[in-house]
Amino acid sequence: MAPHAELAKIGYEIEKLFGRQKSFGSSNNNNPNTSPSATHQNLCQYKFYPAYGSKVVHMHVEDITCNEAASRFIADNRTELHRKGLVGQVGVDVILWLVVACFVVEGNERARPIAGPDIYEGRNVAKDVLAPGEIINNVMSFGAKPDGKFDCTQAFMDAWRATCKSKVQARVLVPLGRFVVSAMYFAGPCTTPGPVTVQVEGTVVATTDISEYVDGEWLMFQDLSGIKLIGGGTFDGQGKDSWSQTENCETDSDSACVRAPSSIFFSRVNNGIIQNIKTLNPKGFHIFVTNCANIRLRLLKLTAPGTSPNTDGIHISHSINVKISKSNIETGDDCVSMIQGVNNVTIKRLKCGPGHGISIGSLGKYQDELEVRGIRVENCTLVGTTNGLRIKSWPEKYSGLATDISYSDITYPSLVKIANVGFINVKGTTISPIAVDLRCSKQFPCENIQLHNIDLKLLGPILPSGARCANVKPVYGGIQMPPACP
């Protein structure tokens, strides 16, 4: 079949599946073998390039410009297209490339987003209050079952569509229970007066068949202005079975390296909050933020084994004004990783470990990378990490820039327990104003530390020497100079 006729047939089948014969423009033609001049002339302009597969000749579609109706139809139904059986049929590559081409792929975008007004600035974002008249769309009202077995993808999509397209304030509610969901989009733009809320109280469970994740991620939040993902619930990526197949894109210099699906993917989101949720065992990254502005991530608990590959906690690229705070990340890769195009990121009160620490880079992997600028890491604790604070770059590949970066008040607590130690008959002089300094790990306090007859005098100006103690209760005897810790 000729490429044009092939595309026409696919469009016809899509229209037939969803009963939207006029969704793509001025179609009045039900002939599946027609030229696209009637059925698809207003859908997209495109170019075909042959790419030979193992069974059939697939048509690689590039340089596509889609009209508004086509773009919106694909955005609203892309998961349905996959689930309704198009995958595996002749022409599937055409429609998949069509989807990819109508929506810009993150990896090829070079521009950093422009941050508009931060609508949450100065507001108490920790408090969730229903707006007057706000509609609550419970996924169970759309057919979801909380048994951990039933595929709830369609119900979630329907609940999201009802919420996003509402003319009054609305939210999606995922109640207690376990809800199985495959890859899907939470796509905008939305028509609600204010930010849309997705309130997850139960557990959303990913399917384990990696072939279902044709768009590369699990739960994709895209093209949104104002979104809150809250509720105290859990996103279980069920990644254990896929980790053995994971490609290590950090050490692989091939730009074609394929990442495993991220659990939560924010793309082209302005004014977003991810708050008080948990993610467990993702297939890839826990959270991926790209091409976003004014994003807050707080009160998160992200958990995966220290041996899980490429499971970065929060991965950020091409984004501006990102705030991470009061979170706990235990994972198998970087707790937070920032690559090209990141500007104005603040990380405060983060507990990291196990994991690889907090990283910038690797930089210099691609040509014409955007700089990393304005990173602040403050009051963070790293426990049991393989690394601490890193700025990584590829040797002798491409130029780049990382600038205006500061780290302050970072704690690396010791994991060594000290016990049964005696300091007896210690006499002499010291140049340190703190002559006795006993500071032990908060996680593993020192036990049975004995000081007997300690006589240390400070050299230089006549000033009393001092003692300092933390997470220890020394046992004293005899002379104590300097005086014992209070």
Side-chain angles (χ1 to χ4, degrees), residues 133 135 161-170 190-194:
I135 297 172
R161 188 174 293 114
T163 301
C164 182
K165 302 308 178 185
S166 174
K167 300 298 183 181
V168 299
Q169 200 58 44
C190 294
T191 57
T192 53

Side-chain angles (χ1 to χ4, degrees), residues 129-408:
V129 179
L130 282 173
E134 182 171 356
I135 297 172
I136 300 176
N137 290 315
N138 189 321
V139 294
M140 292 181 63
S141 299
F142 293 82
K145 297 180 181 180
D147 59 4
K149 299 177 181 179
F150 181 78
D151 188 336
C152 302
T153 309
Q154 185 65 52
F156 272 59
M157 289 192 298
D158 291 343
W160 169 254
R161 188 174 293 114
T163 301
C164 182
K165 302 308 178 185
S166 174
K167 300 298 183 181
V168 299
Q169 200 58 44
R171 70 173 58 198
V172 174
L173 173 64
V174 181
L176 295 176
R178 290 178 64 82
F179 298 87
V180 176
V181 175
S182 185
M184 68 164 285
Y185 279 82
F186 296 81
C190 294
T191 57
T192 53
V196 173
T197 298
V198 177
Q199 181 179 341
V200 178
E201 297 177 353
T203 300
V204 183
V205 183
T207 54
T208 56
D209 185 354
I210 201 73
S211 68
E212 295 183 13
Y213 298 84
V214 294
D215 288 306
E217 317 294 349
W218 177 24
L219 302 174
M220 295 161 276
F221 295 79
Q222 185 169 285
D223 297 315
L224 296 166
S225 181
I227 177 73
K228 295 191 292 184
L229 179 58
I230 62 172
T234 301
F235 295 87
D236 185 351
Q238 295 207 105
K240 184 177 180 180
D241 291 342
S242 65
W243 291 336
S244 61
Q245 307 169 38
T246 299
E247 295 185 63
N248 191 339
C249 295
E250 184 170 330
T251 58
D252 189 346
S253 60
D254 184 0
S255 60
C257 182
V258 179
R259 293 184 299 100
S262 303
S263 285
I264 297 172
F265 180 74
F266 268 36
S267 175
R268 300 194 295 276
V269 174
N270 189 32
N271 292 310
I273 293 176
I274 305 178
Q275 175 176 278
N276 189 28
I277 66 164
K278 298 176 281 290
T279 73
L280 177 67
N281 296 336
K283 294 176 176 63
F285 302 154
H286 292 261
I287 298 174
F288 189 171
V289 176
T290 184
N291 294 287
C292 295
N294 303 332
I295 304 296
R296 287 168 168 81
L297 305 102
R298 52 194 314 276
L299 302 174
L300 307 178
K301 184 173 177 59
L302 316 182
T303 306
T307 55
S308 56
N310 286 6
T311 52
D312 291 25
I314 301 171
H315 181 76
I316 310 170
S317 77
H318 297 87
S319 296
I320 185 170
N321 298 346
V322 179
K323 297 180 179 180
I324 302 170
S325 63
K326 300 180 182 179
S327 295
N328 189 341
I329 301 177
E330 303 174 11
T331 196
D333 210 298
D334 295 327
C335 292
V336 179
S337 55
M338 296 162 277
I339 60 171
Q340 62 159 320
V342 172
N343 187 3
N344 196 22
V345 174
T346 302
I347 304 171
K348 291 184 178 180
R349 297 174 64 181
L350 172 71
K351 184 178 179 183
C352 165
H356 294 181
I358 300 173
S359 299
I360 296 172
S362 295
L363 303 177
K365 184 175 183 178
Y366 305 104
Q367 195 169 7
D368 301 323
E369 286 186 352
L370 293 175
E371 65 186 24
V372 174
R373 178 184 293 273
I375 311 299
R376 303 286 178 266
V377 183
E378 306 170 6
N379 296 305
C380 294
T381 300
L382 289 79
V383 182
T385 56
T386 57
N387 300 283
L389 309 170
R390 296 189 294 172
I391 301 176
K392 305 179 292 182
S393 64
W394 285 85
E396 300 180 357
K397 260 202 122 177
Y398 298 107
S399 61
L401 176 65
T403 184
D404 188 18
I405 299 165
S406 68
Y407 304 94
S408 61

Side-chain angles (χ1 to χ4, degrees), residues 1-57:
M1 185 182 298
H4 288 180
E6 186 176 46
L7 180 59
K9 181 177 180 180
I10 295 167
Y12 169 78
E13 291 297 328
I14 292 169
E15 292 174 357
K16 186 172 68 174
L17 280 170
F18 298 103
R20 302 184 183 186
Q21 283 78 11
K22 297 185 180 180
S23 294
F24 294 107
S26 58
S27 169
N28 291 309
N29 192 332
N30 290 330
N31 181 358
N33 295 314
T34 186
S35 164
S37 59
T39 304
H40 292 281
Q41 187 172 18
N42 295 330
L43 170 58
C44 298
Q45 297 175 351
Y46 46 82
K47 294 179 182 178
F48 284 98
Y49 299 88
Y52 294 91
S54 57
K55 296 182 179 179
V56 298
V57 176

